Amino acid sequence: MAVDDLLKAVAVASGNDAAVALAEHISGSEGAFVDAMNRRAEELGMTHTHFANCNGLPADNHYSCAYDIALMSRALLAHDMIRNYTSIWMDSLRGGAFGLANTNKLLRTYPGATGLKTGSTDAAGYCVSASAMQGEMELIAVVLGSDTSANRFDSAANLLNYGFAGWTLADAAPQEPIPAVPVKLGRADTVAVYPDGSLRILVKKGQETAVTTGYELEESVTAPVAAGEPLGRLTVYVDGEAAAELPLLACDDVERKSFGDIFGDLWRRMAMQS
């Protein structure tokens, strides 16, 4: 089967066999893939998660929590193409011989639903990580442990309604340009910086005008400077409270002056003074 079909089987129909096949294809074995899953979970800050398999079926030492699943879902949604699979309602595999029907009923009932994934076991109950986009804001609602399938969707819809009704995205771009950083011994005298991350921040509705920014920069930096090198940080405040922090990175490479460059600078200064 093509990888495209296997991804469709996992995202739409919770194909556990397809998940194992993908894991073995990527890492050589399910065990090696699960090790990679746990490393990625740690990178994402999923401190209350440990994976024992790649499909979520009950196993010893296999657990997670709603917050960690939200972190995982956010990382998944950073890949735009995932919505090509999670938004499918009905499809088929093997030339129409095998039908697929999405278990996420919110795709048909919730405005702007984009996914994301359902699951259920005797131990975990009925679960869903639900995503939806309205306007330019996409939200994630995670529900675990529901006693019925319908209750998980009702709870997820209520959470999403709460988010869309009470929160919005606000512009967090600095009101004034951030100055360039002076470069010592560089072939350029300064290097411009840029914030690494989104300049939109989630705020309660009515707080859009309460967003301000501040920054800290290195007084100077000595060449060579590499593009992407951290040179400061931008802090975003909402009503005076720090709400987000973004690193400020060098826009360009700045090479170090050669001995000839330095000698030429000295010669020009001497010539100007004579």
Side-chain angles (χ1 to χ4, degrees):
M1 293 183 70
V3 167
D4 179 71
D5 283 342
L6 289 170
L7 289 172
K8 192 185 299 182
V10 171
V12 178
S14 298
N16 296 319
D17 49 357
V20 173
L22 285 167
E24 292 175 344
H25 175 71
I26 292 169
S27 298
S29 69
E30 183 184 5
F33 187 81
V34 171
D35 289 340
M37 290 172 65
N38 284 314
R39 289 193 297 271
R40 182 63 175 139
E42 185 176 354
E43 292 171 0
L44 292 174
M46 297 168 59
T47 57
H48 292 86
T49 294
H50 185 269
F51 297 113
N53 57 48
C54 68
N55 52 34
L57 292 176
D60 291 340
N61 205 30
H62 186 91
Y63 56 86
S64 190
C65 67
Y67 180 74
D68 283 4
I69 291 173
L71 293 177
M72 180 171 61
S73 300
R74 182 176 63 178
L76 182 59
L77 287 166
H79 304 276
D80 290 337
M81 68 175 295
I82 192 60
R83 296 171 185 80
N84 297 339
Y85 300 99
T86 59
S87 61
I88 293 171
W89 177 243
M90 297 190 74
D91 209 321
S92 62
L93 300 175
R94 301 190 187 280
F98 188 85
L100 300 176
N102 205 314
T103 54
N104 183 4
K105 306 309 178 188
L106 292 173
L107 290 176
R108 294 293 294 271
T109 62
Y110 195 85
T114 56
L116 189 60
K117 193 70 199 75
T118 60
S120 61
T121 65
D122 290 342
Y126 291 93
C127 308
V128 63
S129 177
S131 58
M133 179 172 287
Q134 295 184 9
E136 59 180 337
M137 185 168 72
E138 190 169 28
L139 298 180
I140 299 163
V142 178
V143 177
L144 308 180
S146 289
D147 55 354
T148 68
S149 179
N151 283 346
R152 65 176 162 183
F153 297 129
D154 289 342
S155 296
N158 288 335
L159 285 169
L160 291 169
N161 287 340
Y162 168 80
F164 286 119
W167 299 77
T168 189
L169 290 173
D171 185 9
Q175 294 180 335
E176 301 292 336
I178 299 174
V181 176
V183 180
K184 298 177 180 178
L185 301 178
R187 289 188 168 176
D189 294 331
T190 62
V191 60
V193 298
Y194 68 94
D196 183 27
S198 173
L199 289 175
R200 304 283 282 167
I201 188 169
L202 190 69
V203 298
K204 289 183 178 180
K205 288 186 176 179
Q207 288 187 317
E208 295 92 323
T209 59
V211 178
T212 57
T213 59
Y215 60 83
E216 297 178 14
L217 284 175
E218 297 287 349
E219 291 185 6
S220 63
V221 62
T222 301
V225 179
E229 183 177 330
L231 297 178
R233 61 183 180 181
L234 176 75
T235 303
V236 181
Y237 301 91
V238 179
D239 277 334
E241 297 278 336
E245 191 173 279
L246 302 175
L248 293 171
L249 308 181
C251 288
D252 304 296
D253 294 326
V254 179
E255 294 182 1
R256 188 180 179 89
K257 287 181 177 179
S258 66
F259 177 78
D261 293 329
I262 296 172
F263 182 79
D265 288 345
L266 289 172
W267 179 260
R268 281 189 290 275
R269 290 195 189 101
M270 291 172 63
M272 291 176 64
Q273 292 173 358
S274 61

